[in-house]
Amino acid sequence: NNEKLLIRKKELDSDVMLLKRQEKGTVTTANSQLPPPPPPPPLDTDRLRSATNSDGLLAVLGAAQILKAMQDGSAKKRTEESFLAVEEWVEYGEQSMAFRLASWRDQRAAQDDLQIATDNNSSFMAFVSKKAITNRSNFAKSLREACIQTNFSDVRFLRAIYEMVQRMHSPCLRLELLQYVLGLDNRYSIEHVKRSIELAATCLSMTATSDDTAEPSTS
């Protein structure tokens, strides 16, 4: 009887092991047929940027926005729109002081209503003496050259924009247009724009260096 019980126990143990293997195989097969999980949603930098007042975080999120604008083509489109608009303003401004003074009043009102991040208010004398025309004419020229000489996908575009920013002292319309070109909101002062460009350029340089040092695959 004991011998029969031992034999029966071994048979049951074998059946259990077989069932476990079959169950495991069924689960593995079922898992292999399941679709892969979806990737995580992209980081909503627009929402984060609108919600923060931190200078450091504004610069980081600004850099992310600049890279996004370069990648999706919006920076190129907006650059073309901007230099054409400035060239039109220069054309009218050269012909009429009344137009320049009206532009100055509009700019002052925009600074108050929209709280544009400028370091100084628009200089009245710059509009009377035509200095504003010179500044904006040079700005339009630089934007046009950046549009022609770069493809908006590498650090050359950022270098061109950074050089424009370095030459600015108390910009208003020019700063607004740079904010527009780069996709930044009106909280971005000249210093914020500089830091964002620097971070974006660092990211692009690191990517380019990584691509250059990667060994080509051999077959």
Side-chain angles (χ1 to χ4, degrees):
N1 290 335
N2 290 337
E3 185 176 349
K4 288 181 179 180
L5 288 173
L6 288 173
I7 293 173
R8 182 57 180 161
K9 183 177 182 300
K10 289 181 179 179
E11 290 175 350
L12 290 173
D13 290 343
S14 297
D15 291 341
V16 170
M17 292 298 295
L18 180 61
L19 287 173
K20 286 184 177 179
R21 284 197 294 268
Q22 290 176 345
E23 182 181 2
K24 184 178 179 181
T26 302
V27 172
T28 302
T29 303
N31 288 339
S32 65
Q33 294 175 350
L34 291 175
L43 186 64
D44 189 351
T45 55
D46 292 337
R47 183 180 62 81
L48 289 173
R49 195 168 64 249
S50 64
T52 185
N53 290 315
S54 164
D55 287 344
L57 194 53
L58 275 175
V60 172
L61 296 173
Q65 168 56 38
I66 291 171
L67 294 173
K68 176 184 174 183
M70 294 172 65
Q71 184 179 38
D72 65 18
S74 59
K76 182 177 188 298
K77 176 177 178 291
R78 291 172 177 176
T79 299
E80 293 171 347
E81 292 174 356
S82 296
F83 71 68
L84 290 173
V86 177
E87 288 173 348
E88 183 179 9
W89 186 94
V90 169
E91 182 179 354
Y92 284 111
E94 287 177 333
Q95 299 171 7
S96 171
M97 180 180 290
F99 172 82
R100 299 199 302 274
L101 294 181
S103 178
W104 172 77
R105 285 194 297 271
D106 292 343
Q107 191 68 61
R108 287 293 301 270
Q111 289 169 354
D112 294 335
D113 295 342
L114 301 178
Q115 297 181 344
I116 295 171
T118 53
D119 296 326
N120 299 289
N121 289 330
S122 299
S123 170
F124 176 78
M125 289 307 300
F127 284 77
V128 172
S129 66
K130 293 189 176 183
K131 182 179 179 182
I133 291 178
T134 301
N135 289 338
R136 294 181 179 186
S137 179
N138 291 336
F139 178 69
K141 181 181 178 182
S142 297
L143 276 181
R144 182 179 282 276
E145 289 175 351
C147 200
I148 294 172
Q149 296 174 3
T150 71
N151 60 7
F152 293 86
S153 63
D154 58 35
V155 75
R156 289 178 299 167
F157 169 69
L158 294 178
R159 189 178 297 119
I161 297 296
Y162 192 78
E163 288 174 357
M164 292 182 222
V165 174
Q166 290 284 74
R167 294 193 293 267
M168 293 181 182
H169 299 293
S170 57
C172 294
L173 176 66
R174 289 172 292 157
L175 175 56
E176 284 185 74
L177 288 174
L178 280 186
Q179 292 165 346
Y180 173 67
V181 165
L182 301 175
L184 305 174
D185 59 57
N186 59 22
R187 291 176 299 160
Y188 278 78
S189 66
I190 282 294
E191 291 305 315
H192 286 123
V193 173
K194 281 182 182 179
R195 287 195 289 270
S196 295
I197 293 174
E198 290 168 353
L199 286 173
T202 299
C203 292
L204 281 181
S205 299
M206 291 173 64
T207 302
T209 301
S210 177
D211 292 342
D212 291 340
T213 55
E215 294 183 3
S217 59
T218 57
S219 57

